[in-house]
Amino acid sequence: VYFTEFLASHGFVVVACDHVGSSRYTILNGQVVKAGGARLDASQADRPKDLLFLLNCLERMHLGADSRFAGRLDTDRCAVTGMSFGGWAAAKAVDLGDPRVKAAVLHCPSLARGTLDRAVETPVMTMIGTEDTVIGAEGNQLCHKYFEDARGPKYMVEIKPAGHVTFTSCEQYSATYGNGIGPSRSLTRPGEMYEPLAQEEAHAIINHYTLAFLDAYLRGRMEKLKTLQCNDFGEVMENKYAH
């Protein structure tokens, strides 16, 4: 919620889908579809295609299928983004090579889920939490490797006192959710607990760098590259980049 509302407040058109069979509940043709079954089994292949399907829908809206959006969307300059499984789906959508996708923002992507077939030349920003016990140390290492292997403009932000759920708005219904919200089990110090960075502070970091990244690579505001080069939040994070 925090992320999509922030992007919309800065003039980006944000659209998201519930992945049928993968989301807990989805309404499809007036019917409730629960998670599981054949649709869940197919979700690994379907999720990236769902993202590109949304771009196709936006293109039709822009061309007149929906008068609210007719002539108002720039479907040639799009970014994909996702968190966890959604982060992998966004990375795979980039991998599929759709020319409309000009940038990607990946939040703690579970890159171990599947293979990517081509070197990344699309501008990409990857964000992780050092204490993420969901994708774990291996998952964080894969994110660093993804950054190192990328051939295009690439950026990485690592929030040190943060976990997997730091990149969500789950604090809205549980202040002690764990794994980045409230007292949480440490990944780097097994058997110990740590106090994560407050959600509003973590979200401020995420939004700060995401906005600069999208301003640069979707809007052509290349002066924003200076923001991407700087650590504006001190010891709670690390960042690296290659334009």
Side-chain angles (χ1 to χ4, degrees):
V1 175
Y2 78 95
F3 186 62
T4 53
E5 289 185 350
F6 174 79
L7 293 178
S9 75
H10 284 269
F12 293 99
V13 176
V14 182
V15 59
C17 62
D18 292 326
H19 300 283
V20 179
S22 187
S23 299
R24 186 170 296 177
Y25 297 102
T26 310
I27 306 297
L28 187 64
N29 296 327
Q31 301 295 316
V32 175
V33 180
K34 296 183 179 180
R39 293 181 186 275
L40 179 60
D41 295 338
S43 62
Q44 180 91 355
D46 285 348
R47 277 189 172 217
K49 296 175 184 177
D50 287 347
L51 298 181
L52 299 183
F53 170 78
L54 290 181
L55 296 188
N56 294 337
C57 292
L58 289 173
E59 200 164 62
R60 290 196 294 271
M61 291 178 180
H62 171 70
L63 294 175
D66 189 320
S67 60
R68 296 171 299 172
F69 300 100
R72 296 183 175 182
L73 305 176
D74 185 351
T75 55
D76 289 327
R77 289 188 295 169
C78 297
V80 291
T81 184
M83 178 257 177
S84 194
F85 193 175
W88 178 86
K92 188 62 179 179
V94 170
D95 190 58
L96 293 175
D98 191 301
R100 296 170 296 184
V101 177
K102 298 298 193 296
V105 180
L106 316 179
H107 291 170
C108 47
S110 53
L111 296 178
R113 280 189 169 273
T115 58
L116 301 173
D117 300 321
R118 65 178 75 193
V120 183
E121 297 184 358
T122 301
V124 63
M125 170 168 280
T126 306
M127 297 183 169
I128 61 174
T130 302
E131 301 290 354
D132 188 334
T133 58
V134 174
I135 64 172
E138 179 187 2
N140 278 347
Q141 289 168 4
L142 286 173
C143 290
H144 281 284
K145 186 176 187 303
Y146 183 80
F147 170 86
E148 297 296 340
D149 291 346
R151 295 179 181 176
K154 54 187 178 180
Y155 304 86
M156 189 158 191
V157 173
E158 180 167 356
I159 305 175
K160 296 178 183 179
H164 202 67
V165 191
T166 295
F167 295 88
T168 73
S169 294
C170 290
E171 77 281 358
Q172 293 186 5
Y173 59 86
S174 176
T176 57
Y177 193 98
N179 206 350
I181 298 177
S184 303
R185 290 187 297 111
S186 174
L187 175 68
T188 60
R189 302 186 307 278
E192 297 184 24
M193 302 292 286
Y194 77 99
E195 189 63 35
L197 192 65
Q199 283 292 83
E200 59 269 22
E201 296 178 53
H203 292 172
I205 294 172
I206 295 164
N207 290 341
H208 175 76
Y209 288 104
T210 298
L211 179 60
F213 175 73
L214 295 180
D215 274 346
Y217 291 104
L218 292 188
R219 291 171 165 162
R221 299 176 182 172
M222 305 313 288
E223 71 275 8
K224 296 293 185 176
L225 295 183
K226 293 181 181 179
T227 299
L228 297 171
Q229 295 171 7
C230 297
N231 179 343
D232 294 321
F233 296 89
E235 295 181 355
V236 297
M237 60 155 282
E238 293 181 351
N239 66 315
K240 54 184 178 179
Y241 62 90
H243 299 314

